[in-house]
Amino acid sequence: MKAVISVIGKDSVGIIAKVSAACAENGVNILDISQTVLQDYFTMIMITDISAIKVNFTDFVDIMDRLGHSCGLEIHAMHEDIFNSMHHI
Amino acid sequence: MLAIEDILETISMIREECLDIRTITMGISLYDCQCEDPKRLADRIYDKIMRCAKNLVPVGEEIEKKYGIPIVNKRISVTPIALMAGQLDQDGVIQLAKSLDRAAQDLGVNFIGGYSALVQKGCTNGSRTLMESIPEALACTKRVCSSVNVASTKAGINMNAIALMGKIIKKTAYLTRDHGSDGCSKLVVFANAPEDNPFMAGAFHGIGEPETVINVGVSGPGVVASAIRRAGNCNMMELAEIIKKTAFKITRVGQLVAREASARLNVPFGIVDLSLAPTPAVGDSVAHILESMGLEQCGCHGTTAALAMLNDAVKKGGVMASPQVGGLSGAFIPVSEDAGMIAAAKAGTLSIEKLEAMTAVCSVGLDMIAIPGDTDEAVISAIIADEISIGVANTKTTAVRVIPVYGCKVGDVVNYGGLFGEAPVMPVRNQSPAVFINRGGHIPAPIHSLKN
């Protein structure tokens, strides 16, 4: 099972490190990272494997949300099925 | 494999274009609550709703979190209460309304639908008791929604019921006069009412439905409007294709949520309703979709054609995305709940007559329209009769949710707040249809050959 973590906001030093540390702590394995600009905002997309996640996925969503608040960013973790449903027949 | 551009598109739809799931609605049958004692009947209804829907809100919130998509409303629809009210008096049926309201409050759902009667062919004792109780029931509850089906293509139009509904709407407006007559925002008069509609105020759990069921209503006018704007200068065929593809994507999310809610609640999946449901929020307007197609303002000539194309394309995209589609499934055009409609009504571009024409090609009908508080009850009945005739003749659902706002006149604006938005009071024609309405009786079902 995979999840997508999106980080949207102002670019600053150490974003990747903070998100990666939170992932590692919760057993979430990062598979791929890419960066782009979405409607003028810095956007980082991480594709992660959540097969060995140590907490409930919804709790992990909260952890990412709180991390985002503390850094002045929007950080959302979303289950891959929403993307698969929408874009694959 | 997840492609970055697909991920970005989805995130952008949710973040920038107001994509959401408008409602997860659990339908609950109340037949097995039947009881001779009115007090016990009310208690059994409360207990059954509490038992069946206890996990609805928490499960909705978990799904919302898992997929990162807002699920704006969690709601309940029940068996039309008129079917339970055969032996009740006014007080008894109002007790049932209070039970429904209490269950909705205790479960944390914002609306419960099904304070309803189906009278297309005639009134039972229960239907009459319920209809007469509607003003008081809506005035003494907050979350109860009421609907009355007064016509169908097979049965024709019950004009006695339409005459009565004019009076009931006026009385509801009077009893809720301290809150902008908002009781009328929870009351819908239908032709060909769908039995699996998840949207309020017209939701009820139809007589052919299972014990419990999960129906989901999707939304996303902002997503469609953005896709059209991005497309730039293309012809109508290309535009229809873009709308179809967008509707497919929106509906797939609805289907995902419906399947997951159904599995987690252990309740059968019913339908996904393909409606484009606007809210007063910026970027969530059906009127703005029509304007993005090239109309100066919603309500100008060309609006009906644009809406017909939009509605058809949404359905074509949506049916491919879900195995079971139902409910109202079409674009909603509630005036007070759509920023573009509000602006068009204020500017005088959008009239009730144009809205009536628009309802011939999209779902629902004259929806959330504020009219002067001194509008005669026969005029309200005649507005209903006109709109209902469109549904009956065209074998489709139509409905009327008008609010004769007590003490307000044309040009006033009533603010209902939240999803109900703000309603500019629109002019109606006051020449009297009273003799026509008071004839009563039944307009026979229309013929379905010799079509023209």
Side-chain angles (χ1 to χ4, degrees):
Chain A
M1 266 194 309
K2 294 194 188 98
V4 171
I5 300 172
S6 60
V7 182
I8 303 173
K10 198 167 167 292
D11 197 6
S12 65
V13 175
I15 295 177
I16 295 184
K18 283 177 190 158
V19 179
S20 308
C23 287
E25 207 172 293
N26 292 289
V28 172
N29 183 28
I30 298 168
L31 302 174
D32 186 42
I33 299 181
S34 55
Q35 293 182 25
T36 183
V37 173
L38 181 68
Q39 271 114 22
D40 299 332
Y41 289 102
F42 160 77
T43 304
M44 181 171 75
I45 303 290
M46 287 179 161
I47 297 174
T48 62
D49 182 350
I50 52 168
S51 316
I53 192 166
K54 293 177 192 160
V55 292
N56 276 336
F57 182 66
T58 49
D59 293 337
F60 183 68
V61 172
D62 286 335
I63 292 168
M64 286 291 126
D65 192 46
R66 281 198 296 273
L67 178 62
H69 275 291
S70 69
C71 311
L73 297 161
E74 275 183 46
I75 307 183
H76 300 294
M78 296 160 76
H79 195 279
E80 65 168 332
D81 282 354
I82 186 165
F83 305 102
N84 289 331
S85 292
M86 206 184 248
H87 300 286
H88 298 165
I89 295 178
Chain B
M1 185 57 205
L2 297 170
I4 291 299
E5 52 272 29
D6 292 345
I7 292 172
L8 290 173
E9 184 185 352
T10 302
I11 290 172
S12 173
M13 281 180 181
I14 296 169
R15 199 171 167 274
E16 309 287 331
E17 297 162 2
C18 306
L19 174 64
D20 55 43
I21 300 297
R22 187 49 47 84
T23 180
I24 298 182
T25 303
M26 181 187 274
I28 303 173
S29 165
L30 299 180
Y31 292 131
D32 58 353
C33 300
Q34 226 13 308
C35 177
E36 280 183 18
D37 176 46
K39 169 81 175 66
R40 277 192 68 206
L41 171 60
D43 289 345
R44 287 169 79 159
I45 287 177
Y46 173 84
D47 291 344
K48 179 156 189 192
I49 295 169
M50 293 302 288
R51 192 171 66 245
C52 293
K54 65 177 185 291
N55 291 327
L56 177 63
V57 171
V59 162
E61 285 168 355
E62 276 173 29
I63 296 173
E64 203 168 6
K65 243 180 208 176
K66 179 175 175 185
Y67 296 117
I69 181 150
I71 300 173
V72 182
N73 300 299
K74 295 90 184 171
R75 293 170 168 171
I76 294 167
S77 63
V78 296
T79 302
I81 292 294
L83 300 177
M84 313 294 291
Q87 299 193 42
L88 299 179
D89 58 13
Q90 287 284 310
D91 287 345
V93 75
I94 283 169
Q95 285 309 313
L96 299 193
K98 288 180 177 167
S99 276
L100 296 179
D101 200 43
R102 190 158 59 93
Q105 179 171 4
D106 293 351
L107 288 166
V109 302
N110 61 351
F111 286 114
I112 183 162
Y115 200 75
S116 306
L118 310 174
V119 298
Q120 59 270 27
K121 205 74 175 286
C123 280
T124 61
N125 292 338
S127 303
R128 182 164 292 279
T129 309
L130 180 124
M131 286 164 75
E132 285 170 354
S133 77
I134 287 172
E136 196 181 331
L138 294 180
C140 73
T141 59
K142 276 192 174 149
R143 295 169 178 78
V144 174
C145 290
S146 179
S147 56
V148 178
N149 190 64
V150 295
S152 74
T153 300
K154 284 205 159 166
I157 304 173
N158 183 344
M159 290 300 287
N160 293 329
I162 286 182
L164 180 60
M165 287 314 292
K167 295 185 175 77
I168 285 169
I169 288 171
K170 280 283 280 197
K171 192 171 171 194
T172 305
Y174 178 74
L175 292 183
T176 55
R177 62 191 178 282
D178 293 341
H179 305 280
S181 298
D182 68 350
C184 298
S185 67
K186 297 177 286 176
L187 174 56
V188 187
V189 185
F190 271 118
N192 294 320
E195 303 206 336
D196 50 7
N197 164 24
F199 286 103
M200 296 298 168
F204 62 87
H205 186 70
I207 53 172
E209 295 287 307
E211 189 67 20
T212 51
V213 73
I214 286 291
N215 297 322
V216 167
V218 298
S219 185
V223 180
V224 176
S226 298
I228 292 172
R229 273 187 220 111
R230 273 196 303 273
N233 187 19
C234 59
N235 69 30
M236 291 307 282
M237 183 81 90
E238 290 160 344
L239 213 49
E241 282 302 303
I242 290 163
I243 296 169
K244 263 165 69 179
K245 285 177 188 158
T246 310
F248 173 83
K249 290 175 184 170
I250 295 171
T251 312
R252 288 281 280 196
V253 180
Q255 175 63 26
L256 172 72
V257 167
R259 204 179 53 219
E260 178 124 3
S262 156
R264 286 196 190 203
L265 292 163
N266 196 23
V267 167
F269 159 63
I271 56 98
V272 173
D273 188 315
L274 304 179
S275 296
L276 283 179
T279 70
V282 175
D284 209 15
S285 156
V286 169
H288 288 159
I289 299 180
L290 305 176
E291 290 166 10
S292 68
M293 287 164 76
L295 301 172
E296 185 180 337
Q297 188 162 41
C298 178
C300 72
H301 294 295
T303 301
T304 311
L307 182 59
M309 187 278 254
L310 169 69
N311 204 46
D312 183 66
V314 166
K315 285 180 199 169
K316 285 173 177 163
V319 289
M320 173 85 178
S322 170
Q324 283 268 71
V325 168
L328 294 163
S329 283
F332 291 174
I333 51 170
V335 175
S336 79
E337 300 173 5
D338 184 310
M341 297 277 176
I342 294 168
K346 279 183 179 167
T349 317
L350 187 62
S351 64
I352 290 188
E353 288 78 5
K354 190 62 182 175
L355 281 160
E356 193 180 292
M358 290 160 73
T359 65
V361 298
C362 77
S363 76
V364 199
L366 297 176
D367 198 15
M368 287 303 284
I369 298 173
I371 57 175
D374 62 0
T375 307
D376 187 69
E377 59 197 35
V379 171
I380 296 175
S381 292
I383 291 172
I384 296 171
D386 280 346
E387 182 58 33
I388 267 28
S389 304
I390 291 174
V392 169
N394 293 300
T395 323
K396 71 185 288 296
T397 303
T398 51
V400 175
R401 184 163 52 151
V402 292
I403 311 166
V405 189
Y406 188 82
C408 284
K409 55 186 189 313
V410 173
D412 292 348
V413 176
V414 192
N415 197 340
Y416 293 108
L419 284 180
F420 285 123
E422 59 170 25
V425 177
M426 297 176 74
V428 297
R429 291 170 199 276
N430 284 312
Q431 291 81 358
S432 178
V435 175
F436 171 70
I437 292 299
N438 291 329
R439 282 176 188 273
H442 207 89
I443 295 183
I447 189 165
H448 275 280
S449 61
L450 310 174
K451 284 268 186 190
N452 259 320

